[in-house]
Amino acid sequence: MVGVPTAIAILAFEPPHGATALLALLLLAAAAAGFREPTPLWYIERGWAVLLAGGFAVSTALAPTRPILDRSLLTVAIAGATVAAMGAVRPELLVGLDWQVADQFERTLARYDFGWLGGPPAEAAVRQFAALWQALYPAMLVLASVSALAVTVYLLGRVRGEESALPPLGRFRFSEHLVWVLAAGLVLVALPVGAWADRAGGNIVTVMGGLYVLRGTAVLVWLGASVISSGWIIAAWTLAALVLYPVTMGATLVVGVSDTWLDLRSRLGVAGNKE
């Protein structure tokens, strides 16, 4: 998801220099690893990467000055709409995709011996967690794709010789209107509509939750950089955040959602640029 979009973007938007063209070809060659004995998931992974590459080229051509996250979300929307259209024409494709993912989870779990973990109770708990993870794999794919496209933007910037290919984390924010997407996901989860609504809502909430956790982290990073001058104190707070990650995740989520209305960085003295 990094190599293919980066290679296509270099070939589409960069001058045809030998070094950059060679880099693009090397990235495509790395993405083609395993072509001699491809599995169905091999084709699925590369197919999604190709859709991301095409969507990123379109979004960059249409809105080259838009923030990175806006272009990344548009890219994922284009790729997702393409998959949905293919599924509408051939529903068995989406059924087969879901089956392949479920089979991958099952084969992964089959490698482990749960006896030393506590036997059947431990296995039941792990399988319950795996079932949740399996239901949310579209959301995980969206978040992974957005992250991969950020790496793509960084690599493109380095190819162009930009010193700051990505803006500082402390300036990260996105459109306040996306909070309504989070609200729609919560409504789908809460309403007794059916299993499809639960899964769709859960995936929407997971994606938006991940983005708001990142936004909350950006607020805390900006606050720490503005208030704390000692590197040791920052390191101690970072270590505590990692150790107490369940509390940290909840706190950063609350901060991220609150920043939608309160604009904490502006209220505390500095207005962050949207990125």
Side-chain angles (χ1 to χ4, degrees):
M1 290 193 295
V2 173
V4 176
T6 302
I8 299 302
I10 288 174
L11 295 175
F13 299 111
E14 295 304 305
H17 295 311
T20 56
L22 178 61
L23 174 61
L25 293 176
L26 288 175
L27 289 172
L28 291 175
F35 72 95
R36 294 184 180 277
E37 296 180 356
T39 63
L41 277 179
W42 187 93
Y43 288 109
I44 292 171
E45 291 166 355
R46 272 66 181 179
W48 178 253
V50 170
L51 291 178
L52 281 183
F56 185 71
V58 171
S59 65
T60 301
L62 293 177
T65 61
R66 294 294 299 171
I68 296 167
L69 182 63
D70 289 358
R71 283 182 284 150
S72 298
L73 292 177
L74 178 57
T75 297
V76 174
I78 293 172
T82 303
V83 173
M86 294 171 61
V89 175
R90 297 183 59 187
E92 68 274 10
L93 292 178
L94 294 184
V95 174
L97 171 62
D98 220 33
W99 185 89
Q100 289 292 340
V101 173
D103 182 64
Q104 179 68 20
F105 273 92
E106 189 61 37
R107 285 189 285 113
T108 301
L109 290 175
R111 298 173 185 171
Y112 295 94
D113 180 13
F114 292 97
W116 65 276
L117 289 174
E123 181 177 0
V126 171
R127 288 189 176 277
Q128 185 176 7
F129 179 78
L132 175 63
W133 200 259
Q134 178 184 331
L136 296 178
Y137 80 82
M140 298 295 114
L141 181 60
V142 170
L143 292 174
S145 299
V146 170
S147 301
L149 292 172
V151 178
T152 292
V153 171
Y154 174 80
L155 293 175
L156 281 175
R158 299 305 297 169
V159 167
R160 294 167 180 166
E162 299 175 5
E163 290 296 327
S164 300
L166 290 176
L169 176 59
R171 291 168 49 189
F172 175 83
R173 64 173 70 216
F174 47 81
S175 173
E176 283 71 18
H177 295 94
L178 286 178
V179 73
W180 299 111
V181 179
L182 175 62
L186 292 172
V187 169
L188 286 175
V189 172
L191 291 179
V193 179
W196 68 270
D198 289 341
R199 186 173 185 185
N203 278 276
I204 292 173
V205 169
T206 301
V207 170
M208 296 309 303
L211 293 180
Y212 277 108
V213 165
L214 183 57
R215 181 166 179 161
T217 302
V219 173
L220 296 178
V221 167
W222 174 84
L223 182 62
S226 302
V227 176
I228 303 174
S229 58
S230 172
W232 288 105
I233 296 177
I234 294 176
W237 275 103
T238 302
L239 179 61
L242 293 174
V243 173
L244 303 173
Y245 70 92
V247 178
T248 304
M249 293 282 285
T252 52
L253 176 61
V254 171
V255 171
V257 175
S258 300
D259 190 53
T260 298
W261 290 282
L262 300 180
D263 197 1
L264 298 170
R265 282 160 286 188
S266 294
R267 287 176 178 269
L268 294 173
V270 176
N273 293 326
K274 289 190 175 183
E275 194 62 29

